[in-house]
Amino acid sequence: MRRGRVLVVDNEQRMCQVLKAALEADGHYVAMAFDGQTALDTFAREPFDVVLCDLKMPGMDGLQVLKELKARHPGVEVILMTAYATAQTAVEAMKQGAYDYLIKPFETDELRLKVARLIEKRQLAEENVALRQELRHTFELAYVVGRSEAMEKVYRMVQKVAPTDATVLLRGESGTGKELIARAIHELSPRADKPFVAVSCGALPESLLESELFGYEKGAFTGADRRKEGLFQAAGEGTLFLDEIGDVSLATQVKLLRVLQSHEMVPLGATRPIPVRARIIAATNRNLEEALHAGTFREDLYYRINVFPIVLPPLRERREDIPELVNHFLRKYGGPKAAIEPDALAALMHYTWPGNVRELENVVERTVIMTGGGVITRADLPAHIVYSAAPSSPVEIPAAGLSLEEVERSLIVKALDKAGGNKTEAARLLGVTRRRLYSMMERLGVRPP
């Protein structure tokens, strides 16, 4: 049996002594407190795995003690005890985060078993987190690659915020790896053994996003023929990752704000709120400050999610990570025989990567497929990458005095010219899709020949 630290809180000293003796017989360290404030002071001086607290006490009652403990020490488990049980009190206790609820008189053997199981579960979780942190203390996570100064700064911030319950806002361009960093925060947190649930807010229409997040009751709307659990519930005590939060409508923003403020939500069609215990990590590639001024993002929600912001640098600002990233993707998609020649790697280093790490991964995967997992040469790379790295290439780019938009426009015009006006062929030469070529032409004002 695992040994733990237990704090017994009851204004009846005799009850405290009986429970203390029973738990000490199992080898646990047990401290006693005869009122709520003393319990909080005792916990502040030394840590405990479990708190056994009476519900009815003079002054601060058990629910107040529970609320204060959970606010100051979210990881502690509390078992409430009472001789005056009501359904309403039980619901309130569980809503405030109580692990269990015992009605006096109860068998001490029942309590000893609950405490033993709870301590074992807690210590196993702590050992799991400690092992993860030990294995990854240098941040060598399988899905996070990079040793540049910019990324080391991100890693340090992740390591500081991961053990807390603070809401995190990840900011950065598309493709910089915001979801990977969100997963890293989850993996390095005490919630690592709980679910990690991700949702792309921008990919769902407003009505569907609301039902996905909050769930709904049977009959809540036409077609709701059964009850559906929302993602807040699915995340449980784990982490809910809200990607592209800048794309959420104002109506849904109001409901998200309520969840963050009250830690409870009301499913569609329901009349009573249910508690929300998941940690929230949000992400956006938008300028939220501009959205505030434009009135498309609520100021109060902004301050609720911007508790601990982390900005992910674009790949063009950490080019020294490109060789390591390339090798990582070569191993992932090509196996041990896949390799790249120095001049091909130099071309990748020279390119600006508007799609960031995601674009680099796609390029490496595509090239590995084209080469059959062998050695990648410069000629194997997409044309637009080679052209950007070599001004003397068939689609020549004047090197001096051009903005990035002018360079892009020049590439498109010359690719179209080389392809004889065939947009499909021009897109192939540039290494982009036909749809993206049309989008680039429209954005840059390029007219077809």
Side-chain angles (χ1 to χ4, degrees), residues 104-133:
K104 296 179 180 178
F106 51 80
E107 296 291 336
T108 55
D109 286 346
E110 178 188 4
L111 177 64
R112 290 166 59 193
L113 182 59
K114 287 182 182 293
V115 170
R117 287 177 175 171
L118 186 53
I119 288 173
E120 182 173 16
K121 174 186 173 184
R122 178 179 172 83
Q123 291 180 347
L124 283 172
E126 289 175 351
E127 289 172 6
N128 188 33
V129 171
L131 179 60
R132 289 171 186 262
Q133 291 176 332

Side-chain angles (χ1 to χ4, degrees), residues 205-221:
E206 181 181 352
S207 58
L208 183 56
L209 175 63
E210 186 176 345
S211 64
E212 285 294 310
L213 288 175
F214 306 110
Y216 52 80
E217 297 295 326
K218 181 178 180 181
F221 51 84

Side-chain angles (χ1 to χ4, degrees), residues 172-185:
E173 298 176 7
S174 293
T176 49
K178 294 185 286 293
E179 182 169 347
L180 299 184
I181 295 298
R183 287 184 180 276
I185 293 172

Side-chain angles (χ1 to χ4, degrees), residues 74 129 133 157-166 185 188-191 279:
V129 171
Q133 291 176 332
M157 296 183 74
V158 167
Q159 288 172 321
K160 286 182 178 296
V161 77
T164 74
D165 286 322
I185 293 172
L188 293 172
S189 77
R191 301 171 182 262
R279 180 191 196 161

